[in-house]
Amino acid sequence: MSLTLSEKALSVKPSSTLAITAKAKALRAEGKDVVGFGAGEPDFATPENICNAAVKAITDGFTKYTAAPGTPELRKAVSDKFKTVNGLKYEPEQVIISNGGKHALTDVFEAILNPGDEVIIPTPFWLSYPEIVKLAGGVPVFVRCDVNDNYKISAEKLAAACTEKTKAFILNSPNNPTGMVYSKDELESLAKVIVEKDIYVIADEIYEYLFYEGSAPVSIGSLNDEILAHTITCNGMAKSYSMTGWRIGYTGAPLAVAKVMSSIQSHQTSNPNSIAQMASLEALTGPQNSVSEMRAQFKKRLDYMYDRIVKMPHVSALKPQGAFYVFLDISEALGLSYKGNKVETCGEFARILIEEYNTAVIPCADFGFADHIRLSYAISMEQIEKGLDRIEAFLKSLQ
Ligand code: GLU
């Protein structure tokens, strides 16, 4: 007998953001004073009104199955939010509530991809996109976007990457890992290509409230009805409301896509957690002041962090406009020596930092940029100061 595994599943790498975060937590449990610039997880408590709504859901006995695509109340609240905040005309039946942002994306790709369909992913990218696409039978197609492009894809590059197998394009703005935000003009140019090539755009807007310059990021599906018909917008509660552990994501999609997503969900997971849905309803319809308070804190941290980073040797970064990451170019540091040994890769750079400086960072090889690391500033100012002191000491020791 030969007990083999699924080839598709074997082609998927484990998430290094989660692995590094778990490693930092384990070292802390051993008593080490580890600073974690790893996973993008806000350090704030979930706002009290949201927690109270969850407690009420439990005491009210709201603990049974709900409809598979989410409660009608929450789907309506998301539809209203899409319309008023994002200018996206998705009706409640076009909204699906899922078990977090990753699950929303999983449903989307399972709903739209046939084997061999290509999905264009601007590089650098959040490491889970290609893996989720592969699991759904698709083929990720990477388009490199350098620092000179502000790490953003242009309409020309998108058009050039399209083939007759292209089914979709992933647009993530504000962006993880770069913190870049696409302007309305840039989105208009991209939208023209998307409509002309007749492909879907998967707009991952999970960082929508985390922007630090000018006005709120524009949703591509809000530009006109033609692009809306090609747009699947994914979002979730985790980053904006500090609700990472509650696992609620949501999607607005053309009706045919939403119906298929609902069917998939009805077999794979049934409804997302009923209590977390009630908490999310409160998050979306209750007071919004915590969102701007958290954003103000993130901005302070970003400004502090960026000012320090630009003064450090061997590294450089564009100033992020949104999300909560600094994407650090370490190409100049690679090839230098640490204690007599050459630091050749971003993985080695990150290993030394965690093992010798108790500082967790994300090496970005899995994000498509092997000479960069990512630092999350979703941690306290005190931790940021301490961690940057350590990174600076490490960089100064390189020869
Ligand atoms: N999305 C966050 C990050 O990039 C959380 C961890 C993960 O899901 O990858 O750090």
Side-chain angles (χ1 to χ4, degrees):
M1 190 166 70
S2 114
L3 297 173
T4 59
L5 293 172
S6 146
E7 277 169 30
K8 193 169 70 177
L10 285 173
S11 79
V12 170
K13 294 183 243 169
S15 165
S16 54
T17 48
L18 297 190
I20 289 163
T21 308
K23 185 168 180 182
K25 277 190 184 155
L27 289 171
R28 247 179 245 129
E30 284 172 21
K32 294 221 169 103
D33 174 24
V34 174
V35 174
F37 288 114
E41 173 165 45
D43 56 321
F44 305 107
T46 302
E48 208 179 335
N49 61 313
I50 300 174
C51 295
N52 289 342
V55 172
K56 184 168 183 320
I58 296 172
T59 50
D60 286 354
F62 194 75
T63 54
K64 307 286 187 198
Y65 291 132
T66 73
T71 64
E73 294 79 11
L74 184 54
R75 293 173 84 193
K76 161 112 183 27
V78 170
S79 162
D80 290 347
K81 179 262 172 190
F82 270 141
K83 288 177 189 164
T84 54
V85 177
N86 308 111
L88 292 166
K89 291 182 272 174
Y90 293 121
E91 297 307 320
E93 60 270 26
Q94 294 177 268
V95 170
I96 303 293
I97 314 296
S98 306
N99 298 289
K102 284 177 185 170
H103 183 225
L105 290 162
T106 302
D107 276 352
V108 166
F109 288 113
E110 285 190 345
I112 64 171
L113 294 182
N114 288 306
D117 281 352
E118 294 178 355
V119 177
I120 296 175
I121 306 180
T123 306
F125 48 80
W126 174 48
L127 78 178
S128 290
Y129 292 141
E131 309 309 307
I132 294 172
V133 166
K134 283 191 280 176
L135 277 172
V139 178
V141 172
F142 301 107
V143 178
R144 193 177 160 94
C145 306
D146 283 301
V147 64
N148 301 333
D149 310 313
N150 290 331
Y151 302 116
K152 291 192 269 193
I153 192 167
S154 63
E156 293 71 33
K157 276 196 178 181
L158 176 62
C162 286
T163 70
E164 73 245 19
K165 287 197 176 154
T166 306
K167 192 64 172 278
F169 153 58
I170 302 181
L171 176 70
N172 175 215
S173 171
N175 185 273
N176 173 8
T178 66
M180 296 296 117
V181 177
Y182 284 75
S183 69
K184 190 170 181 212
D185 285 353
E186 289 165 339
L187 294 175
E188 272 166 354
S189 314
L190 292 171
K192 278 190 196 132
V193 177
I194 291 157
V195 170
E196 189 192 303
K197 302 283 183 187
D198 203 17
I199 59 176
Y200 289 107
V201 55
I202 316 306
D204 179 352
E205 301 187 349
I206 191 106
Y207 297 100
E208 66 171 327
Y209 286 121
L210 302 173
F211 61 94
Y212 310 111
E213 286 171 18
S215 47
V218 174
S219 295
I220 192 165
S222 70
L223 295 175
N224 57 60
D225 287 348
E226 244 185 337
I227 184 68
L228 180 64
H230 291 77
T231 304
I232 301 173
T233 307
C234 292
N235 206 323
M237 313 307 297
K239 315 292 186 187
S240 302
Y241 296 96
S242 201
M243 289 177 71
T244 46
W246 299 75
R247 310 311 304 140
I248 295 291
Y250 58 85
T251 304
L255 189 58
V257 176
K259 279 187 174 162
V260 176
M261 288 175 67
S262 173
S263 305
I264 293 170
Q265 207 159 279
S266 75
H267 291 291
Q268 287 188 332
T269 58
S270 299
N271 60 278
N273 180 296
S274 61
I275 299 150
Q277 287 193 68
M278 276 302 196
S280 301
L281 183 61
E282 170 62 23
L284 292 175
T285 57
Q288 298 296 304
N289 50 317
S290 53
V291 175
S292 39
E293 281 161 22
M294 288 191 265
R295 177 170 57 223
Q297 290 300 319
F298 287 133
K299 175 157 172 42
K300 269 193 207 149
R301 296 169 184 185
L302 165 63
D303 288 343
Y304 171 78
M305 195 155 170
Y306 190 73
D307 278 357
R308 288 210 47 192
I309 278 168
V310 288
K311 293 183 196 127
M312 291 187 193
H314 314 307
V315 294
S316 60
L318 291 183
K319 182 149 190 195
Q321 303 158 313
F324 38 52
Y325 307 108
V326 176
F327 190 51
L328 200 62
D329 182 342
I330 58 162
S331 51
E332 211 187 289
L334 298 181
L336 296 179
S337 291
Y338 175 71
K339 293 186 179 167
N341 294 315
K342 265 195 181 169
V343 183
E344 305 271 19
T345 64
C346 61
E348 179 65 3
F349 187 99
R351 187 196 60 75
I352 298 169
L353 273 173
I354 191 147
E355 288 181 4
E356 306 219 10
Y357 288 84
N358 281 334
T359 300
V361 303
I362 302 286
C364 286
D366 289 348
F367 289 68
F369 261 58
D371 53 8
H372 284 57
I373 61 165
R374 191 194 76 177
L375 305 176
S376 159
Y377 50 91
I379 55 173
S380 73
M381 194 62 128
E382 185 208 341
Q383 289 287 301
I384 290 173
E385 283 177 32
K386 194 195 290 183
L388 289 180
D389 288 346
R390 293 172 182 179
I391 293 175
E392 190 167 23
F394 169 54
L395 288 170
K396 284 188 172 160
S397 77
L398 293 174
Q399 290 173 334

